[in-house]
Amino acid sequence: MFIDVLTIFPEMVDLVTGWSILKRAIDRGLVTIRAVNIRDFAADRHRTTDDTPYGGGPGMVMKPEPVVGAIEYAKGTRPGRVILLSPQGERFTQAKARALSGENHLILVCGRYEGIDERIRAFVDEEISIGDYVLTGGELPAFVVIDAVVRLLPGVLGNEASTEEESFAGGLLEYPQYTRPSVFRNLPVPEVLLSGHHAKIQAWRKEMALKRTKKRHPALYARYLREKEGAGHDG
Ligand code: 9D3
């Protein structure tokens, strides 16, 4: 997979390429992540990327020419899906991450300032938000998308990938986990986990996952019950 990050802060892309699982995926050639500097596509000698809004109002607006120039450059290297990170976008989910992991070339457009010129949207295939909170730009959301998508690519996590994805798709939060020591600051590990009784351990984990999901994520719990029900009526 090829991922282009279109931004006026190309150095920020180093945050996502330099460490851990993503670095390993890049080193193995499973993904190529490239920063495209929007400023390089500005026409004037000051390389201006923003301007004041028509009709007045506070703040600055991202100019269309440099952003669209960068999009056309990225598309020119290979066909790709253009995704604008924006607070007005559709919410990013695991299902969306899975869908995007099947693409060949993602072109992630990061806005800055108070907003972007509306005409840029004519050059965008879809618009994604990562949640209802206000950030200063689209770069961190782009990195969230990259992290969620790249870990799903074949070979990135090894065979644990499919299993782990299934378990989220299976629709429950994780059960509590413990490692050594068996007592930490007077807090013991639940007895059942030390028992070596595999069936009891499985049952306990399922019960804890159910309880935790019901309490902390009622919507996910409701979906789990619905899907379990649905599976029962299938065929
Ligand atoms: C102060 C300007 N805001 C007026 C209500 C609009 C606004 C524009 C640009 C707010 C934030 C931003 C920068 N954020 C993003 O580009 C962004 C974002 C986010 O802030 N939250 C969640 N997902 C995303 S995706 C891109």
Side-chain angles (χ1 to χ4, degrees), residues 133-155:
Y133 32 82
V134 182
L135 303 172
T136 58
E139 285 81 3
L140 291 174
F143 302 159
V144 167
V145 170
I146 289 170
D147 196 88
V149 168
V150 171
R151 68 179 285 286
L152 296 177
L153 298 178

Side-chain angles (χ1 to χ4, degrees), residues 107-180:
I107 299 165
L108 304 177
V109 183
C110 307
R112 279 272 155 178
Y113 313 117
E114 307 307 307
I116 62 163
D117 187 290
E118 187 65 25
R119 294 164 293 184
I120 291 169
R121 290 194 162 88
F123 301 85
V124 164
D125 295 313
E126 69 178 301
E127 206 164 322
I128 290 177
S129 161
I130 62 163
D132 292 338
Y133 32 82
V134 182
L135 303 172
T136 58
E139 285 81 3
L140 291 174
F143 302 159
V144 167
V145 170
I146 289 170
D147 196 88
V149 168
V150 171
R151 68 179 285 286
L152 296 177
L153 298 178
V156 169
L157 293 187
N159 53 5
E160 77 200 82
S162 47
T163 329
E164 231 251 284
E165 238 265 300
E166 267 167 36
S167 91
F168 193 95
L172 290 175
L173 300 181
E174 235 178 273
Y175 50 76
Q177 299 203 79
Y178 300 85
T179 185
R180 281 176 287 196

Side-chain angles (χ1 to χ4, degrees), residues 6-8 36-44 47-50 61-73 109 117 120:
L6 280 47
T7 170
I8 58 167
V36 174
N37 190 348
I38 290 171
R39 202 172 289 284
D40 290 345
F41 300 87
D44 64 311
R47 312 219 300 158
T48 311
T49 57
D50 65 333
V61 174
M62 231 167 165
K63 291 168 66 60
E65 305 97 316
V67 176
V68 172
I71 290 172
E72 286 174 340
Y73 165 75
V109 183
D117 187 290
I120 291 169

Side-chain angles (χ1 to χ4, degrees), residues 1-232:
M1 173 180 276
F2 294 88
I3 303 177
D4 279 322
V5 183
L6 280 47
T7 170
I8 58 167
F9 297 117
E11 301 85 1
M12 280 185 80
V13 177
D14 298 344
L15 285 170
V16 85
T17 56
W19 284 273
S20 186
I21 289 168
L22 294 197
K23 183 182 194 315
R24 203 179 57 193
I26 292 163
D27 291 345
R28 289 160 151 194
L30 301 171
V31 63
T32 300
I33 301 175
R34 173 173 68 171
V36 174
N37 190 348
I38 290 171
R39 202 172 289 284
D40 290 345
F41 300 87
D44 64 311
R45 71 182 181 90
H46 292 114
R47 312 219 300 158
T48 311
T49 57
D50 65 333
D51 206 341
T52 54
Y54 274 119
M60 300 292 271
V61 174
M62 231 167 165
K63 291 168 66 60
E65 305 97 316
V67 176
V68 172
I71 290 172
E72 286 174 340
Y73 165 75
K75 286 195 114 168
T77 62
R78 57 182 63 77
R81 185 162 184 80
V82 180
I83 298 169
L84 175 67
L85 287 306
S86 128
Q88 287 98 58
E90 194 180 314
R91 182 68 54 85
F92 188 60
T93 61
Q94 186 64 24
K96 174 59 69 181
R98 210 175 304 126
L100 294 181
S101 71
E103 295 284 340
N104 230 285
H105 182 197
L106 299 179
I107 299 165
L108 304 177
V109 183
C110 307
R112 279 272 155 178
Y113 313 117
E114 307 307 307
I116 62 163
D117 187 290
E118 187 65 25
R119 294 164 293 184
I120 291 169
R121 290 194 162 88
F123 301 85
V124 164
D125 295 313
E126 69 178 301
E127 206 164 322
I128 290 177
S129 161
I130 62 163
D132 292 338
Y133 32 82
V134 182
L135 303 172
T136 58
E139 285 81 3
L140 291 174
F143 302 159
V144 167
V145 170
I146 289 170
D147 196 88
V149 168
V150 171
R151 68 179 285 286
L152 296 177
L153 298 178
V156 169
L157 293 187
N159 53 5
E160 77 200 82
S162 47
T163 329
E164 231 251 284
E165 238 265 300
E166 267 167 36
S167 91
F168 193 95
L172 290 175
L173 300 181
E174 235 178 273
Y175 50 76
Q177 299 203 79
Y178 300 85
T179 185
R180 281 176 287 196
S182 62
V183 181
F184 172 70
R185 310 269 173 109
N186 231 20
L187 300 167
V189 171
E191 195 96 54
V192 62
L193 298 179
L194 310 176
S195 71
H197 196 304
H198 186 65
K200 276 188 186 163
I201 291 171
Q202 292 288 84
W204 180 86
R205 285 178 168 169
K206 183 70 182 284
E207 181 197 336
M208 296 306 285
L210 283 166
K211 275 189 179 156
R212 177 172 277 190
T213 308
K214 188 175 181 184
K215 185 162 169 54
R216 297 193 191 179
H217 199 333
L220 187 64
Y221 184 70
R223 189 171 91 188
Y224 171 81
L225 292 182
R226 267 201 318 279
E227 280 172 16
K228 220 179 82 170
E229 183 109 339

